[in-house]
Amino acid sequence: MVNLRPRRSCRTLPVRLVVDQGGDEEDSERESSEEERQDVEFPDGDPVAEPMADENEDEVEDDEAPEEVTFASAQAEAKEDERRLRDALRRDKELLKEKRKRREELFTEQKKRKLLPATILEELTTAPQTKVNESSSELKKGNVENENKEKKEEKMFPKRVKKRYMACRLKDQDLIDLRQQAAKGFLQKYLYGRGSNRTTVNKFLSLNNKRLLVKKPAVQFVNNSWGMERKQNAKKFKKQWMHKKKLASRRPNII
Amino acid sequence: MLSVGNTRKGMGEFKVHRVRFFNYVPVGIRCVAYNHQSNRLAVSRVDGTVEIYNLAANSFQEKFFPGHEGRATEALCWAKGQRLFSAGLNGDIIEYDLEKMSVKYSVDGFGGPIWSMAADPSGSYLAIGCEDGSVKLFQVSPDKIQLERTLERQKGRILSLSWHPSGTHIAVGSIDYIAVLDAKSGSTTQKMLMDKRHPGSQRRRCVVWGVAFLSDGTVVSTDSAGMVQFWDSETGTLVQTHPLTSSDVLSIAVAEKEDSLVVGTAEGTIFHFQLIPSRSDGKQSQWVRTKPFQHHTHDVRSVAHSPTALISGGVDAHLVIRPLMEKVEVKNYDAALRKITFPHRRLISCAKKMQLLLFQFPQRLELWRLGATDAAGKNEDILPLSRNAEHLLQLKKKGPENICCSCISPCGSWIAYSTASRFYLYRMNYENNSVSIKRVSKLPKFLSSAFQILFSGDSAMLYVASNQGSLHVIQLLEGSLKHLHTFQPQSGTSEAISLLAVSPDGNWLAAAGMSSGVSIYNLKHLKPHCMVPAYNFPVTALAIAPNTNNLVIAHSDQQVFEFSIPQKQYTDWSRKVQKHGLHYLWLERDTPITHITFHPKRPTHILLHDTYMFCIIDKSMPLPDDKTPLFNQLSLREASENVRRRHAHAFKISKKFQPLLFMDLLDEGTLVAVERPLEDIIAQLPPPIKRKKFGT
């Protein structure tokens, strides 16, 4: 047996209602006795304030309607939340901005240190223009000799240098060459690649020879590149042997 | 390989050095473009060289732009006003200046490597197809081209391009599809997908190598499956398909009248398609494959269609001009097949006293010394060599540009060569058995590039023809140069000089321009002397005889003139030849005369050669007329004295040494003949398509 606490809220409501309406006599008698009892039991607080307090106390049962919150207060609360959020975001952004600024400054400083002094830069911009394009491609090809020669010539004849210069980035040059190589690779693959039905020139020309009455040998009958390494080694050995023999014959033979 | 043979040449016995160690391999042809207005053909090769052939002047190569290592030309086209443009895998569009013989400018296409280019029918727009799938339109303005707009970008690389004859639409061929774009708005109006179930390997995609747009809206495509397909661009459907081969069909060209087209395959065959009316009233017509032609051994990368002929060029470096019988008016020798393999310019110079030969390759020069023999022999003997021919020097070019022209002085101590932008001069020293070379670095500023270089007979003077038309005379001193004079072009136009000749005594210099006449300059007084009357065919060879100072000129229509320089008029012999007319077999030769030389002891002899014959003209003998056989040397040798006296004529021709690249007289009894057999060239070409022959 559970000892349930009496539900005061239930009792108070119907009493008020009946009193307002002016209901039956039976109810009124009972109600009056209940009222008295109630007064004794609950000396303090009016019935109006009681429901809120009661709700807070028993959270198990909530048949009541949710608490009444005015629109103004709710709006104010929501605005408050938004403002707090915005402030937080702004603070974060500013922190990031600061970080970035500091990094940029660091980079520009480093760059300044890397660049040539301002005087030389001025000289370059005022000097005549030349075509650096050619020299860059030559550099890439590894034709250092030619570049040195050009430089030498330019040093010896400064009067001659009135050409126009066009600077270009070596990185861009790499990109252009890569694309060109890719294009050439495509052409090679589709014309001479795996699926193409190609044969050697030797075999192609020997088709004619096969149908002749008197069969002739192939056009490139001798493969000159056969045994290349061995032949080269033999040549080297022969040179060394002859040299040794020469030295031996020069030395006086002491018998 | 070299052998010395004894041959009897009309009146004279010569020892002949037969030289076969010139390893000349012509570069494969990549693009061919025909210009209807001027009847000229522009041919571009794999190394970037561009040549212009004048088809009206016996298909002579009259202009030549040396190649460049960075240029990988993939497309060539003519635009309005005789302007020539080329585009390649380096992404640039290059315009060529045909007057000054140089590259005018190059413009970046901004689309990566350019695969195809076509000019619109009015000639004022250029469309290029790029690697990234975009088609860009350039407007051709009088001095430059400018990017106007980019049409809608396609998915794959644009390998072929064709304008509709009205200039409103462009058909592009890419990998596995063909698209039709609207030129004004740039949007794709039609996209035709290629059939994936084509014969051949399933794994490889179908590459559309060529497209052509006809005026009735038909798009003709040639692809790597070996098929020629006709599509309707309105509905985007396939109308007709012709499976030709199992290998690729690489190129297509349509005639101006749109009643015939020609396609080239990778097997070396070209097929001719014609629009044949299928009903008797001629209302309906159909494209029918009519004739195959097999003139190439390797891939035919490019074809062109002139009003009367089919032109094809490919990897085997033959330029084949096949006239169509039904289009030719008069059935004479002009209707014969023309196959141009060997160069129309001289690539070899000879230092006679030192017996040296300088070979000009596009990327290097080679210096060889001829062998020697002590034996003597009778006619037609092969004499053994006592000393072999020696390869003395190999001079590689500097920089990316190819070598344009070169020359060695008669004493062998100076070598000069030029690229399109620089001039190089070297001093040679021969002591004991070694060769030393030293470059002359202090060159004057105006010596930037030359179109022709020539040394005087005593090796003391250098004559340089620059491509602005001016002629520089420079004196060669021991360690330096001295600029004596510059002749400006006489005719007033700045036209490039194609040939130079100097008299052996050093007093006269003759210069032939590309379309103007031959100008003669007096070197003793450093003044222009006179001009030979203009002739409407270009000059192919030029030489001045010793003592008499007669200028002998050979033209591309095989006419030979002799002009007396001191008297400023044609010689009597020349007038006699013109009145009599040359033998018809002489006029029907199809290779030009590239070198003329003279015998020091016999003033009546003129020695000249072309690719397939070598001739000694004896001015004192009677001229042959059309009824006598021209090539009668072999028969006359066996004949009796009387017969010989009656039948001998002035033109003594020998066809023993073929194909000849160079022939010269070293001294009174020795000739040098540089031959280049065709088999040796073919042996060094890239691999061809496998062909199946019945019975092998």
Side-chain angles (χ1 to χ4, degrees), chain B residues 559 561 572-582 623:
Chain B
Q559 290 288 341
F561 293 103
D572 294 331
W573 181 80
S574 184
R575 284 180 217 269
K576 194 170 96 176
V577 167
Q578 288 308 303
K579 214 166 85 170
H580 189 96
L582 288 164
L623 295 169

Side-chain angles (χ1 to χ4, degrees), chain A residues 22-38:
Chain A
D24 297 329
E25 283 178 23
E26 294 176 318
D27 290 342
S28 59
E29 279 183 324
R30 234 189 289 138
E31 283 149 27
S32 55
S33 60
E34 284 183 357
E35 269 187 339
E36 284 181 5
R37 240 193 291 135
Q38 275 181 22

Side-chain angles (χ1 to χ4, degrees), chain A:
Chain A
M1 281 266 301
V2 181
N3 219 2
L4 292 170
R5 272 208 299 209
R7 287 199 60 124
R8 302 164 208 133
S9 44
C10 291
R11 265 188 269 140
T12 47
L13 270 172
V15 169
R16 262 186 285 124
L17 280 168
V18 169
V19 166
D20 291 340
Q21 285 167 24
D24 297 329
E25 283 178 23
E26 294 176 318
D27 290 342
S28 59
E29 279 183 324
R30 234 189 289 138
E31 283 149 27
S32 55
S33 60
E34 284 183 357
E35 269 187 339
E36 284 181 5
R37 240 193 291 135
Q38 275 181 22
D39 288 333
V40 170
E41 281 187 21
F42 312 108
D44 48 331
D46 24 289
V48 184
E50 291 248 338
M52 280 190 76
D54 286 348
E55 279 228 28
N56 287 337
E57 281 179 76
D58 20 308
E59 294 164 12
V60 186
E61 323 260 3
D62 46 355
D63 293 337
E64 296 178 7
E67 46 189 270
E68 286 181 19
V69 183
T70 56
F71 178 70
S73 60
Q75 200 182 38
E77 234 187 76
K79 275 199 185 149
E80 192 63 43
D81 284 335
E82 265 179 55
R83 198 167 47 82
R84 257 182 271 139
L85 211 70
R86 260 187 275 134
D87 281 341
L89 280 172
R90 216 189 317 132
R91 257 179 276 130
D92 286 336
K93 264 197 208 162
E94 276 181 26
L95 273 167
L96 274 173
K97 230 185 186 174
E98 286 269 344
K99 254 196 196 168
R100 257 184 267 142
K101 248 193 201 164
R102 264 182 267 135
R103 271 186 130 198
E104 286 280 335
E105 281 171 22
L106 188 69
F107 285 155
T108 45
E109 256 192 68
Q110 283 181 347
K111 236 188 191 174
K112 268 203 199 128
R113 269 184 260 141
K114 258 192 157 181
L115 280 178
L116 301 162
T119 48
I120 297 184
L121 279 177
E122 267 183 43
E123 253 189 65
L124 278 178
T125 47
T126 52
Q129 318 252 298
T130 17
K131 262 209 169 111
V132 181
N133 221 350
E134 283 187 287
S135 70
S136 72
S137 60
E138 275 168 13
L139 272 167
K140 273 178 40 242
K141 285 189 187 133
N143 203 350
V144 185
E145 197 189 346
N146 186 22
E147 198 212 316
N148 285 338
K149 268 205 166 160
E150 278 199 290
K151 277 195 184 151
K152 254 194 254 164
E153 283 185 19
E154 286 178 16
K155 271 193 216 157
M156 295 204 300
F157 310 101
K159 292 181 203 169
R160 221 166 20 128
V161 177
K162 271 271 173 183
K163 306 175 204 155
R164 297 181 62 83
Y165 285 86
M166 188 175 74
C168 72
R169 291 200 325 175
L170 277 178
K171 244 200 264 176
D172 287 342
Q173 207 70 19
D174 275 337
L175 206 67
I176 293 168
D177 279 342
L178 274 175
R179 280 159 112 183
Q180 207 177 344
Q181 267 179 26
K184 284 188 182 157
F186 162 78
L187 211 57
Q188 187 70 20
K189 184 173 139 202
Y190 270 88
L191 285 180
Y192 294 94
R194 213 167 52 138
S196 62
N197 199 12
R198 301 269 168 183
T199 174
T200 62
V201 176
N202 204 9
K203 285 189 193 158
F204 179 77
L205 290 175
S206 66
L207 275 182
N208 287 334
N209 289 344
K210 285 185 188 174
R211 292 185 79 184
L212 291 173
L213 279 175
V214 180
K215 309 290 182 216
K216 285 202 285 187
V219 175
Q220 286 167 341
F221 191 68
V222 177
N223 187 359
N224 287 326
S225 58
W226 181 79
M228 212 24 134
E229 231 184 66
R230 292 191 78 176
K231 283 188 198 163
Q232 275 173 353
N233 287 344
K235 241 202 226 171
K236 243 194 267 176
F237 178 75
K238 187 170 162 191
K239 258 197 195 167
Q240 287 170 354
W241 188 83
M242 292 188 66
H243 187 72
K244 253 193 255 172
K245 268 263 161 166
K246 231 192 262 180
L247 290 176
S249 67
R250 273 203 212 137
R251 242 183 267 129
N253 229 344
I254 305 169
I255 305 167

Side-chain angles (χ1 to χ4, degrees), chain B residues 410-432:
Chain B
C411 63
S413 47
W414 297 93
I415 289 180
Y417 74 90
S418 162
T419 63
S421 58
R422 288 187 74 167
F423 188 87
Y424 300 84
L425 184 63
Y426 294 86
R427 183 104 174 95
M428 308 285 295
N429 212 346
Y430 308 90
E431 48 198 43
N432 310 335

Side-chain angles (χ1 to χ4, degrees), chain B residues 65-78:
Chain B
F65 294 89
H68 194 277
E69 247 168 54
R71 283 183 224 156
T73 324
E74 285 286 319
L76 195 66
C77 75
W78 292 93

Side-chain angles (χ1 to χ4, degrees), chain B residues 6 27 35 38 60 68 79 104 122 161 165 222 224 270 282 295 351 384 390 402 411 488 517 592 596 611 629 652 661:
Chain B
N6 227 327
V27 184
N35 186 327
S38 57
F60 177 65
H68 194 277
K104 237 192 209 171
S122 66
L161 196 75
T222 66
S224 59
I270 59 174
H295 296 300
E390 263 181 84
N402 284 5
C411 63
Q488 294 303 330
I596 303 175
T611 313
K652 300 167 199 309
L661 288 180

Side-chain angles (χ1 to χ4, degrees), chain B residues 584-644:
Chain B
Y584 76 99
L585 284 176
W586 177 271
L587 294 173
E588 277 179 3
R589 290 178 300 116
D590 49 5
T591 49
I593 294 170
T594 47
H595 188 55
I596 303 175
T597 185
F598 303 93
H599 198 288
K601 292 283 166 62
R602 297 184 194 149
T604 53
H605 280 197
I606 304 175
L607 288 86
L608 36 79
H609 80 89
D610 74 0
T611 313
Y612 295 106
M613 70 99 198
F614 151 59
C615 173
I616 297 184
I617 300 180
D618 191 342
K619 289 190 280 184
S620 57
M621 300 208 68
L623 295 169
D625 57 9
D626 280 358
K627 293 194 205 76
T628 57
L630 184 65
F631 308 107
N632 59 358
Q633 284 306 296
L634 289 174
S635 57
L636 279 185
R637 209 180 292 162
E638 322 301 322
S640 68
E641 193 59 43
N642 282 335
V643 175
R644 217 182 286 167

